[in-house]
Each structure stands twice: as structure tokens, then as C-alpha cells.
Amino acid sequence: MDTRHMRFFMALAETLHFGRAAERMNMSQPPFSRQIAMIERTLGVKLFERNSRNVALTPAGKHFMEDCRNVLGQFEDACRDVRLVASGMKGELRFGFMMHAAHSVVPELVQLYAKARPDVRLVLDERTPTEIDEMLVAGTLDAAVTFDCGYAPHLQTVLLARERLRIIMREDHPLATVGQIYPEKLREEKVIAAPAATAPALRSAINSYFSAKGIVPHVVLEPRLQHTIIQLVAKGLGVALIPASLCTGMGTGLISRTLTDAPQLDVVLRVPMTTKNPAVSAFMEIGKSIQRTSL
């Protein structure tokens, strides 16, 4: 028994007429009748009562009709779903992003993709930039938003935005009254920054900003997460250079200031070149559509 035999049975069960059922199945009545007889022999059950005038379902036939309707419905759903998955209209997309991007490009990217592909399940995974790079290489992420760390031949890259760094400090900090901060004014400041092992592009930008003026930053704490850095600055443990998008909604007691010749980082969407996930292409196109020159 297969779905073809179920369709023979359903044609007769729904029409209760051998001629019309055979016509529905695009065949003549004699071979159709033989198919019905073969189904009953295979099951060892009488499904129809028939005489020269009428065809009726037996109790077993009525039960079998409901089961066949469910099975055929599930089969049709499976056929439709597999085509949708193959076209990228349904399935799953594992999307990683560095945590600060939740304050910039990620909400819009997710919103637009969810609208364009409502049947694709987005699995969101907040990670550090280094973790994102490792997961893209390992194939455990389908796409990710991170800082551009340079040429990566194994990845497709779409520039989403260029983001400048700002300096944050407590409102009672001596530099809080200064409108624009020069790097020389930070020579003696305690700096809180993510380690290079966690956010290499960000830490490199911070180090380069100081070294361009011959300054070695006095880094006193190296938390992995930007939100932790903000909380430590709020406790007066130092100042920090963070992405501009994180400076909104920091809470009371903190301010941000513009840096002279502020470092700028590229925020990019990356996808493995070897991806086999058809849901990724639309994600990349939406990424291209929200490109911004700066944040």
C-alpha cells in the first residue's frame, strides 16, 4: 500500500460511484475496480458494500477513509514544505550577533527578514566577535553581524554600517565638562576595554587611537562584554571607548563625549561561502538594503 492506492480508495469513498471515481483517476472502470479489489485483498478487510445499484462504505471503510484523509493531507503538507525549504521560504536560520549590535542594525535586520520570510525560524545567538568568527568557521552559524576583522576568503561579507567610538565616563568626571576629547587628555586616565582575545577589531582600534599619539593606554580592567564595561564605568573605575550605538540608554550618572579623530569600525554581515542553507540569500539581500554610512 502506498499513497497511490490511498488515492484510488479516496476517489471511490468520496464519490461512491465506480465510473466517476475511475474518471477522477484518469482511467477506465475495469482496471480501477481491480485496484479497489486488490486494496481490500491486501488489507484483508471489506471496505465497500456494493450491488448493481449502490456503493456504500462499511464501518471499516469509514474509519479507513478518515485515516487516509489525514495521511494524504500530511503527505501533501510534507511535499509543500520541502519545496518551501528548498526555495528558502521555510526552514531555520541560525543568526549570531555581537551584543552591542542589538542597539544598532540587528533589530531592523530581524524585523525585515521576519516580515519577508515568516515561515523561517530565526535562532538568535548573542556572542562575542571572536566566538562569532569561530562559529562561522565551524558552520554552527548561518549568518552573523560582527566587526570587520579584514579579508576573510571563506566568508561572504556585506557592509551594514560604519560606527564611530565615543568615550563614556561618570557625570562627575573632570572631563565631563569638555565637549570634545583629545587623546592627549586621556594619557593618565584608567581605561576599561574588552580584551583582544574577545573583540580583536575593537581593541585594535582603541590601541591604535592611543598609539597614533604615542600614548600607551592605562588599561586597568578587561571585561568581555560591553554592558559590563558600562557598569564598571558607572562605578567610577575608569573611562571607556565604546561603539556610539551603546551610548543611548546607558542610565543616569553616565555621559558620552565625542573623541577627536574618533576610531571607526565597520559593522558587517557575514555568511560562510560554503553555506547550503537556501534561507540565507534573502537575509543577505535584506542586509544590503539597510546599509548605512555611519551610526
Side-chain angles (χ1 to χ4, degrees), residues 230-250:
I230 292 171
Q231 294 304 313
L232 294 174
V233 172
K235 293 299 183 182
L237 297 173
V239 300
L241 281 65
I242 67 172
S245 59
L246 278 174
C247 294
T248 57
M250 290 188 300

Side-chain angles (χ1 to χ4, degrees), residues 82-149:
V82 75
R83 294 186 186 101
L84 289 173
V85 170
S87 67
M89 298 298 292
K90 190 169 185 174
E92 180 178 279
L93 191 148
R94 300 161 300 175
F95 173 46
F97 56 94
M98 52 187 178
M99 297 167 192
H100 101 270
H103 295 260
S104 56
V105 295
V106 166
E108 183 180 8
L109 182 59
V110 169
Q111 179 191 39
L112 291 175
Y113 189 75
K115 183 177 180 180
R117 295 290 187 271
D119 292 325
V120 176
R121 178 173 174 261
L122 270 175
V123 180
L124 305 183
D125 197 350
E126 295 181 82
R127 296 281 179 165
T128 66
T130 296
E131 289 172 335
I132 286 173
D133 291 342
E134 292 170 350
M135 293 174 75
L136 285 171
V137 171
T140 53
L141 287 177
D142 296 307
V145 170
T146 186
F147 289 128
D148 189 358
C149 289

Side-chain angles (χ1 to χ4, degrees), residues 90-295:
K90 190 169 185 174
E92 180 178 279
L93 191 148
R94 300 161 300 175
F95 173 46
F97 56 94
M98 52 187 178
M99 297 167 192
H100 101 270
H103 295 260
S104 56
V105 295
V106 166
E108 183 180 8
L109 182 59
V110 169
Q111 179 191 39
L112 291 175
Y113 189 75
K115 183 177 180 180
R117 295 290 187 271
D119 292 325
V120 176
R121 178 173 174 261
L122 270 175
V123 180
L124 305 183
D125 197 350
E126 295 181 82
R127 296 281 179 165
T128 66
T130 296
E131 289 172 335
I132 286 173
D133 291 342
E134 292 170 350
M135 293 174 75
L136 285 171
V137 171
T140 53
L141 287 177
D142 296 307
V145 170
T146 186
F147 289 128
D148 189 358
C149 289
Y151 178 61
H154 59 289
L155 298 172
Q156 302 177 61
T157 301
V158 172
L159 175 65
L160 298 180
R162 289 194 165 96
E163 184 161 15
R164 294 190 182 277
L165 300 186
R166 291 176 65 87
I167 186 168
I168 63 168
M169 62 193 74
R170 283 172 57 103
E171 288 179 341
D172 57 2
H173 191 282
L175 293 176
T177 58
V178 180
Q180 193 170 55
I181 308 296
Y182 291 85
E184 291 84 356
K185 290 185 176 292
L186 302 175
R187 189 182 298 273
E188 304 301 325
E189 292 294 329
K190 295 177 180 178
V191 177
I192 304 172
T198 296
L202 176 58
R203 185 58 179 268
S204 176
I206 293 171
N207 290 345
S208 296
Y209 179 69
F210 284 101
S211 64
K213 298 297 182 180
I215 301 169
V216 177
H218 180 34
V219 178
V220 292
L221 294 169
E222 295 184 300
R224 296 173 68 250
L225 306 181
Q226 295 296 304
H227 290 165
T228 304
I229 290 174
I230 292 171
Q231 294 304 313
L232 294 174
V233 172
K235 293 299 183 182
L237 297 173
V239 300
L241 281 65
I242 67 172
S245 59
L246 278 174
C247 294
T248 57
M250 290 188 300
T252 57
L254 288 174
I255 61 167
S256 72
R257 289 289 180 260
T258 301
L259 291 164
T260 302
D261 300 323
Q264 183 172 270
L265 291 167
D266 287 347
V267 179
V268 296
L269 173 62
R270 284 189 152 170
V271 170
M273 293 289 289
T274 56
T275 183
K276 298 294 191 297
N277 189 340
V280 165
S281 59
F283 202 70
M284 292 288 280
E285 290 304 312
I286 289 172
K288 293 174 184 177
S289 75
I290 66 169
Q291 288 176 334
R292 306 166 186 172
T293 55
S294 62
L295 289 171

Side-chain angles (χ1 to χ4, degrees), residues 11-12 14-22 29 32 55:
L12 184 56
E14 290 174 349
T15 62
L16 296 177
H17 190 283
F18 275 89
R20 288 195 293 271
Q29 184 173 329
F32 178 81
V55 177

